[in-house]
Amino acid sequence: MLILNQEEVKQIIPLSQIDKVVKCVESAFLKHGKGEVDMPPKTYLFFKKDKGDLRIMPSFSEELGMAGTKIVNVHPDNPKNNLPTVGAVIVLNDAKTGIPIAFMDGTYITGVRTGAAGAVASKYLAKKDAKTLGVIGAGQQAIFQIAATACTIKLQDILVYDVNEKSIELLSVELEKIGIKIRKAGLEEVSKQDILTTTTPSRDPIVKNEWVMPGMHINAVGADAEGKEELDPTIYKRAKIVVDDWIQASHSGEINVPVAKGMITKSDIYGSLGEIVAGIKIGRENNEEITVFDSTGLGIQDLFTAVMVYEEALKRGAGKNIEIF
Ligand SMILES: NC(=O)c1ccc[n+]([C@@H]2O[C@H](COP(=O)([O-])OP(=O)(O)OC[C@H]3O[C@@H](n4cnc5c(N)ncnc54)[C@H](O)[C@@H]3O)[C@@H](O)[C@H]2O)c1
């Protein structure tokens, strides 16, 4: 079994080459839209006493001949003990034999594949002449969202808001290293850009309906568990809502709270990003439409990215081989 640690994964897909991940994730959505992947919704284990959870995300692609399972935790109190909030691993199994062939860090892959989903959604749902990006939340996820979106959209201005200004400074330093400039702005101004990406762990709406302009596209990324939400739900009355996966989105995505309150039902959802990438449904139809992409994170995003990393690692002779059986 090939073992790849985070440093080895990063060497194969550095931030400056996130475009490789955007391509993988776009083909993952294409296969999802065509119904050519098998992916049960993610399973959650809640550790109430320890204030954390563990998510198990299996998926399989016949075309790749591989199955992948990501095991990922979210423990918000970990940083107090100098541990990361999120720590993920991905196991790849060869479909022919079922034997596990690779075990790799999934934390960095989670970051890049989530950024890539925002980039793919922006490519299909933002208006053609979109040139400004607003980002709310300047934490771990923001860097990947910005770097990936810059691959699919010619951005002229990137505005960032965070309750913690220090996070914006750190983000700015990291993005400068790959030639991307951002600027700090107020919450309302950030919320009014051609593309808005929200990536906070908020449990209360941050973006007001009155700030959302006709023609905007919103990537709602931060809500990935029950009770989380970042958008004023009245926005959905004016918007075309696109999900990555209805079951996941209705339980744990941006729409989970309005769904639980009965403000949104399945019939209010336009479709999935996969259906749009596959050409089964049209993406944006005019320059006035408001579009919202609810990203919960799919196992196939991890699988397609991890298979690319595995194949590249074999070519480079990277990682360590360990005999398990
Ligand atoms: N959809 C997906 O596939 C996916 C994948 C990974 C992470 N996530 C989610 O994205 C969110 C962000 O993850 P992260 O790793 O970047 O977290 P992080 O803790 O590194 O960063 C979050 C940032 O949001 C800021 N913030 C918090 N509340 C805010 C508010 N009300 N207004 C403005 N800024 C605020 C914080 O100061 C922080 O800088 C989390 O909820 C995480 O669970 C979703």
Side-chain angles (χ1 to χ4, degrees):
M1 183 194 272
L2 183 67
I3 313 279
L4 292 163
N5 67 23
Q6 187 168 113
E7 208 33 58
E8 288 155 343
V9 172
K10 268 188 189 170
Q11 273 169 19
I12 292 170
I13 38 170
L15 196 61
S16 57
Q17 291 175 28
I18 199 168
D19 56 311
K20 290 193 213 166
V21 182
V22 174
K23 278 195 201 106
C24 278
V25 167
E26 186 169 0
S27 55
F29 278 113
L30 175 76
K31 299 292 169 191
H32 185 238
K34 289 183 166 178
E36 293 174 3
V37 287
D38 192 3
M39 187 187 60
K42 61 177 119 169
T43 303
Y44 286 72
L45 298 175
F46 294 100
F47 310 139
K48 283 200 179 124
K49 186 165 78 68
D50 299 304
K51 294 193 194 112
D53 67 59
L54 195 69
R55 304 157 191 202
I56 296 100
M57 303 169 67
S59 63
F60 165 57
S61 156
E62 197 160 288
E63 189 195 17
L64 296 178
M66 294 236 207
T69 305
K70 182 167 81 174
I71 303 175
V72 54
N73 78 298
V74 178
H75 280 66
D77 288 344
N78 272 0
K80 288 181 201 157
N81 302 314
N82 269 337
L83 288 169
T85 304
V86 174
V89 291
I90 299 172
V91 182
L92 291 180
N93 293 68
D94 184 342
K96 253 195 204 92
T97 60
I99 299 288
I101 51 164
F103 181 88
M104 66 183 79
D105 168 63
T107 319
Y108 181 72
I109 289 181
T110 300
V112 285
R113 65 68 145 152
T114 306
V120 172
S122 301
K123 173 177 167 182
Y124 287 89
L125 291 168
K127 54 186 182 188
K128 285 263 168 311
D129 62 348
K131 40 186 169 298
T132 64
L133 169 68
V135 177
I136 302 177
Q140 296 292 314
Q141 193 37 235
I143 189 160
F144 302 117
Q145 290 295 331
I146 294 171
T149 305
C151 298
T152 56
I153 306 284
K154 236 178 163 194
L155 294 170
Q156 289 178 3
D157 202 8
I158 303 169
L159 292 76
V160 181
Y161 170 79
D162 195 293
V163 282
N164 179 358
E165 292 203 354
K166 187 88 191 134
S167 302
I168 306 177
E169 284 159 29
L170 293 172
L171 177 67
S172 174
V173 170
E174 286 309 306
L175 285 166
E176 286 260 351
K177 290 181 190 163
I178 55 162
I180 296 179
K181 278 196 179 353
I182 61 167
R183 66 184 176 94
K184 191 171 64 178
L187 178 57
E188 182 174 342
E189 190 186 359
V190 168
S191 303
K192 288 181 166 171
Q193 303 309 311
D194 297 336
I195 302 169
L196 169 65
T197 297
T198 58
T199 178
T200 76
S202 185
R203 289 182 169 267
D204 294 302
I206 305 169
V207 180
K208 291 187 182 168
N209 182 27
E210 69 221 49
W211 297 340
V212 176
M213 301 289 120
M216 271 179 63
H217 168 63
I218 305 175
N219 291 312
V221 176
D224 60 352
E226 205 180 312
K228 286 182 169 181
E229 62 176 336
E230 302 179 286
L231 309 181
D232 176 344
T234 52
I235 294 169
Y236 303 123
K237 292 207 170 81
R238 303 196 283 144
K240 181 185 254 184
I241 313 167
V242 175
V243 294
D244 53 11
D245 178 86
W246 158 252
I247 296 177
Q248 286 195 184
S250 57
H251 292 144
S252 56
E254 174 59 36
I255 58 169
N256 85 85
V257 177
V259 166
K261 289 181 181 163
M263 294 164 75
I264 292 183
T265 63
K266 195 173 180 186
S267 63
D268 295 311
I269 308 302
Y270 175 73
S272 72
L273 183 58
E275 288 173 309
I276 292 171
V277 174
I280 295 163
K281 288 195 175 162
I282 303 166
R284 170 170 291 273
E285 284 166 270
N286 59 60
N287 267 351
E288 298 304 302
E289 210 170 33
I290 294 165
T291 51
V292 175
F293 171 54
D294 182 350
S295 160
T296 61
L298 303 185
I300 48 162
Q301 292 168 230
D302 299 302
L303 171 67
F304 277 65
T305 307
V307 169
M308 180 263 283
V309 168
Y310 170 70
E311 286 171 351
E312 190 58 34
L314 288 184
K315 273 189 220 153
R316 296 181 187 194
K320 200 182 271 175
N321 267 298
I322 290 190
E323 215 165 288
I324 296 248
F325 305 118

